[in-house]
Amino acid sequence: MAKRNMNYFGCLKGEKLNELSAEQRLKHFKTKKLFVTTRVLNLPSNTPINLLDANNFKVRLESSKELLDTYYKFLIHTYQEYINNVFINFFHQFNNQIIGLKKKEAKMVGRVLYVSIINNKTSPNFDFVHMVENANGIPKLENTPKLELYYVKRDALKQRAINEHPNGLDEFLLGNSNHFDLKIKDDVAIFKEIIQFEGELKIILALNDEYQFEKNKTFQSPTIDNTNIEKPNLSVNSKAFKNKIPTEEEMDAYLMKHVFSENK
């Protein structure tokens, strides 16, 4: 089966999308196979439902998975410098805090910050759990690793990027890269959230790779086409990382209580 062309940037170049009504725009996107028809089950409360009855389903148009993925990769590509600055700003401070510490001590510092990030407002605000049994049939409840929840949230961000700033998708399809200039990233809330989310994701992936806090079986960073892309000028002066990193005094107190006391 032939692979679909997923180079969506500029695929509607020259068309006058701004002259279309919202309904006409969706129909046009469907014709171009950018949006697809999906059927959503309408679940009534406390009432048996007949899955064979078409009236129990709502039909709606949604962007295709390929378009969602490609547009999100474009946004990451466009704002990569700012995503990287979130990462750099964090590790510039973190590396200064673990100077002279042993691996175990540095891991304790890393864990404090890892937990701080995965519990902040940018992180997934939901949990998945499942029941397992050991060889003796004793039940145990396990939480899904936080890193896997980031994968779920990223999928939600892909859809929100279109829902919360539909004009951005139009400009992407028209091939207008100027729309995504430096100013709009501060004006469009979902773009700011994506930058912070992806920067913090890079941080926790790096911390987890170094210190093995959680098993990470499913998460993969998006593949970004770096062809003909100039490397951004990265700066440690960026204040993009919004979480408060503990002061040296706070970390010293933490280490004395939780690490060095155990070595006595």
Side-chain angles (χ1 to χ4, degrees):
M1 186 175 182
K3 187 176 181 180
R4 291 183 59 183
N5 178 17
M6 293 189 290
N7 184 20
Y8 292 102
F9 181 75
C11 67
L12 300 183
K13 190 176 182 65
E15 299 193 19
K16 297 180 180 180
L17 296 180
N18 60 330
E19 296 182 0
L20 301 178
S21 67
E23 185 178 356
Q24 290 172 330
R25 176 178 168 273
L26 288 177
K27 287 182 178 180
H28 185 56
F29 286 173
K30 182 182 179 182
T31 300
K32 295 290 185 178
K33 297 184 179 180
L34 302 173
F35 276 46
V36 294
T37 301
T38 59
R39 296 205 311 162
V40 181
L41 183 62
N42 185 21
L43 289 174
S45 58
N46 302 321
T47 305
I49 187 168
N50 181 4
L51 296 179
L52 299 179
D53 186 352
N55 293 323
N56 289 324
F57 291 84
K58 292 182 179 180
V59 178
R60 67 186 183 192
L61 284 175
E62 293 182 343
S63 48
S64 69
K65 183 180 184 305
E66 293 85 357
L67 178 58
L68 281 174
D69 292 343
T70 305
Y71 181 52
Y72 193 79
K73 289 176 185 177
F74 169 81
L75 293 176
I76 294 176
H77 168 112
T78 301
Y79 300 121
Q80 190 65 50
E81 175 181 355
Y82 303 96
I83 293 170
N84 285 342
N85 274 340
V86 175
F87 178 87
I88 289 170
N89 180 255
F90 172 88
F91 275 102
H92 177 244
Q93 298 176 66
F94 176 72
N95 290 341
N96 283 335
Q97 287 195 333
I98 63 172
I99 291 175
L101 297 182
K102 295 179 181 179
K103 179 84 172 186
K104 178 182 178 182
E105 299 159 2
K107 182 175 182 178
M108 293 298 295
V109 176
R111 182 186 178 279
V112 172
L113 299 175
Y114 186 88
V115 172
S116 174
I117 294 172
I118 64 177
N119 287 326
N120 74 9
K121 65 179 182 180
T122 310
S123 67
N125 58 354
F126 52 84
D127 262 316
F128 296 145
V129 298
H130 57 277
M131 294 279 291
V132 295
E133 293 184 354
N134 63 17
N136 297 320
I138 305 299
K140 181 173 69 171
L141 188 71
E142 290 187 350
N143 290 11
T144 298
K146 296 293 185 180
L147 280 173
E148 295 187 23
L149 301 181
Y150 274 77
Y151 189 86
V152 177
K153 178 164 183 179
R154 176 186 270 172
D155 281 342
L157 286 174
K158 293 175 184 179
Q159 188 63 59
R160 286 180 54 204
I162 292 177
N163 293 346
E164 297 179 22
H165 186 61
N167 190 43
L169 178 63
D170 290 352
E171 299 296 341
F172 169 75
L173 297 173
L174 292 171
N176 182 14
S177 60
N178 291 332
H179 175 78
F180 304 90
D181 60 14
L182 304 187
K183 183 177 182 299
I184 197 172
K185 77 174 179 60
D186 295 324
D187 293 340
V188 178
I190 186 61
F191 289 176
K192 292 174 65 176
E193 184 176 344
I194 287 172
I195 290 170
Q196 189 68 23
F197 172 83
E198 290 293 333
E200 292 181 8
L201 177 56
K202 287 171 73 76
I203 292 169
I204 62 172
L205 284 172
L207 287 173
N208 194 63
D209 183 67
E210 178 70 20
Y211 300 115
Q212 302 297 308
F213 297 125
E214 297 185 286
K215 292 182 180 180
N216 177 24
K217 297 180 180 179
T218 62
F219 199 93
Q220 294 181 349
S221 295
T223 302
I224 301 173
D225 183 5
N226 290 314
T227 307
N228 298 323
I229 301 175
E230 293 184 5
K231 292 184 178 179
N233 295 319
L234 304 176
S235 171
V236 295
N237 295 321
S238 168
K239 296 182 180 180
F241 184 69
K242 298 178 181 178
N243 299 302
K244 178 182 178 292
I245 293 184
T247 64
E248 290 187 14
E249 291 77 12
E250 290 171 334
M251 287 312 309
D252 286 345
Y254 182 88
L255 290 170
M256 289 298 297
K257 180 178 180 180
H258 296 282
V259 179
F260 295 119
S261 62
E262 296 178 2
N263 293 334
K264 293 179 180 180

